[in-house]
Amino acid sequence: MLEAKDLLEQSKSLQSLAAEGALLAEDGASGKTTRVFMQEHSSDLFLAASQVEATLAQAKSEQPIVVQLRKLTVLAGRVSANLELLTVASREEQRVLVGELESAARACRTIGEALS
């Protein structure tokens, strides 16, 4: 059974992954990083986000955190998908992913604040 403190840790982890992905996408879009570094690092972030998503998808919780669990699970799927896209994204796609990942990081922070 997932407790609020555990869900808070998952939200912090996901927030960190999304924020790091946004920074990486921004560097890629502006030409500040190599394609190989972008692919390797975004792949690592994708794998970590996928693990968070899998953990959340299998988790059970009780009220009142079940709503936050559902929201965070959906958000983890979105972050994971965006990080996977980042591994092959063009510079234009990277610009779009910056906003997507920044938005996800903010949403994770909001969920975390609700759990605190």
Side-chain angles (χ1 to χ4, degrees):
M1 190 66 61
L2 195 69
E3 295 181 14
K5 66 180 173 85
D6 302 317
L7 191 56
L8 177 59
E9 287 303 313
Q10 293 293 334
S11 73
K12 287 179 180 180
S13 294
L14 192 60
Q15 178 184 354
S16 176
L17 292 166
E20 192 172 346
L23 291 173
L24 183 62
E26 190 173 316
D27 284 350
S30 64
K32 293 181 181 176
T33 189
T34 66
R35 179 57 122 174
V36 172
F37 180 81
M38 171 70 70
Q39 289 172 334
E40 290 297 319
H41 196 57
S42 59
S43 179
D44 291 343
L45 293 173
F46 162 67
L47 291 174
S50 295
Q51 289 176 338
V52 172
E53 179 185 13
T55 298
L56 293 171
Q58 294 174 0
K60 304 266 189 260
S61 68
E62 294 180 359
Q63 293 293 350
I65 67 166
V66 70
V67 172
Q68 283 92 354
L69 173 59
R70 288 182 190 148
K71 287 180 182 179
L72 198 59
T73 303
V74 170
L75 198 52
R78 200 171 96 203
V79 170
S80 181
N82 285 332
L83 290 170
E84 183 177 31
L85 287 173
L86 189 56
T87 64
V88 295
S90 67
R91 283 196 175 169
E92 186 59 38
E93 292 167 326
Q94 290 167 355
R95 286 184 191 94
V96 172
L97 289 169
V98 170
E100 291 290 322
L101 290 164
E102 285 176 342
S103 173
R106 284 190 302 273
C108 288
R109 184 178 62 239
T110 300
I111 291 170
E113 288 169 354
L115 292 165
S116 297

